[in-house]
Amino acid sequence: MGASGPYCQNGPVTRASLDKQPHEVASMFDDVAERYDLTNDVLSLGQARLWRKEVARAVDARPAQKVLDLAAGTATSSLPFARTGAYVVPCDFSLGMLRVGKQRHSWLPFTAGDATKLPFKDDTFDAVTISFGLRNVQDTDAALREMYRVTKPGGRVVICEFSHPTWAPFRTVYTEYLMRALPPAARAVSSSPDAYVYLAESIRAWPDQRALAGRLGEAGWGKVAWRNLTGGVVALHRGFKQA
Ligand SMILES: C[S@@+](CC[C@H](N)C(=O)[O-])C[C@H]1O[C@@H](n2cnc3c(N)ncnc32)[C@H](O)[C@@H]1O
């Protein structure tokens, strides 16, 4: 890593690089934890709340079902499932994000864990979901396999992630927003604006809807389908573990 790149031994990591070293990713989220939810609302132009409602509908959590919200951060993404009466476990490897989450939602069973080596037994959860997390995991396929392992037979996965707008003119405008408008906007509201340069770059490098669906299938998930939100700025992927 070059002298101008992220560092972590002698100071805070302000952003991860695209090879997504786990210690850099965790440190980057530790750094943004306090203002993470506010920054999200601002930079998504209010769309984040709408996306979360759609995730809740897709997961369709029922009372007493066990739901794993992986890469849950401060657990804002976990709240809609908890409200249905499901037993929700928010899990993340950034202790900073977990700490802020625990201060705000102390009743939730926050769990420290890495998406590629989950600290849960096989066939534990009725549903496993991950919002804006999978793109940050260094080994996507290992995470998809781990999510499969901890899901009960017949259970479901819902992945909410930034994706690729399907209408070319909108895709051009959106890419301009990501690369030009988002970094200055992040500078105004975030404690760690460089993390949002990583956000823009990692979204551009992320597989499109069809390619991600293929990766789910390779990890074992069946009946894989996806739905675009906000013209494909975000996509929800769903799959099932064979009963
Ligand atoms: C953009 S935040 C999303 C938080 C939350 N799900 C939401 O929707 O607001 C991404 C989260 O992924 C977590 N993360 C990244 N890689 C991870 C891994 N390998 N294992 C567990 N958590 C991970 C980060 O620590 C961070 O909290």
Side-chain angles (χ1 to χ4, degrees), residues 25 29 36 40 52 71-73 77 92-94 97 113-115 131-133 136-137:
V25 173
F29 282 102
Y36 169 81
N40 250 1
R52 293 195 192 289
S77 54
D92 201 285
F93 76 174
S94 158
M97 292 288 266
D114 185 332
S131 291
F132 307 109
N136 299 301
V137 177

Side-chain angles (χ1 to χ4, degrees), residues 24 32 35 48 53 81 101 115 130 141 148 157 159 177 181 213-214 222 240:
E24 286 180 4
V32 300
R35 292 173 72 86
K53 277 192 193 142
F81 317 122
I130 181 167
D141 301 311
Y148 188 85
V157 66
I159 298 169
Y177 168 73
F240 292 89

Side-chain angles (χ1 to χ4, degrees), residues 214-225:
R215 307 268 289 261
L216 273 150
E218 280 162 26
W221 295 100
K223 293 193 241 161
V224 175

Side-chain angles (χ1 to χ4, degrees), residues 22-190:
H23 64 284
E24 286 180 4
V25 173
S27 294
M28 178 178 74
F29 282 102
D30 289 347
D31 287 354
V32 300
E34 205 61 60
R35 292 173 72 86
Y36 169 81
D37 289 307
L38 168 72
T39 309
N40 250 1
D41 272 342
V42 173
L43 297 185
S44 73
L45 312 174
Q47 295 288 293
R49 286 162 194 255
L50 185 148
W51 298 333
R52 293 195 192 289
K53 277 192 193 142
E54 294 300 327
V55 175
R57 278 181 51 188
V59 171
D60 191 21
R62 304 288 166 84
Q65 283 192 335
K66 280 181 153 183
V67 177
L68 172 62
D69 185 22
L70 187 53
T74 59
T76 304
S77 54
S78 312
L79 295 177
F81 317 122
R83 283 190 201 112
T84 68
Y87 178 76
V88 187
V89 178
C91 176
D92 201 285
F93 76 174
S94 158
L95 299 183
M97 292 288 266
L98 291 174
R99 200 170 300 121
V100 170
K102 192 80 191 163
Q103 281 160 9
R104 295 178 187 164
H105 319 293
S106 58
W107 68 93
L108 286 172
F110 286 89
T111 304
D114 185 332
T116 61
K117 287 178 229 96
L118 287 173
F120 306 107
K121 291 191 178 141
D122 296 359
D123 307 338
T124 301
F125 295 96
D126 297 283
V128 174
T129 180
I130 181 167
S131 291
F132 307 109
L134 191 59
R135 177 179 33 86
N136 299 301
V137 177
Q138 190 184 33
D139 187 341
T140 310
D141 301 311
L144 290 173
R145 287 193 299 269
E146 273 296 84
M147 290 157 78
Y148 188 85
R149 180 183 68 75
V150 303
T151 300
K152 289 180 187 171
R156 57 220 186 262
V157 66
V158 174
I159 298 169
C160 171
E161 191 49 87
F162 289 111
S163 198
H164 296 264
T166 46
W167 191 48
F170 177 52
R171 191 162 57 237
T172 307
V173 172
Y174 173 65
T175 306
E176 282 292 299
Y177 168 73
L178 275 184
M179 303 315 284
R180 293 187 200 276
L182 189 137
R187 227 164 274 132
V189 284
S190 170

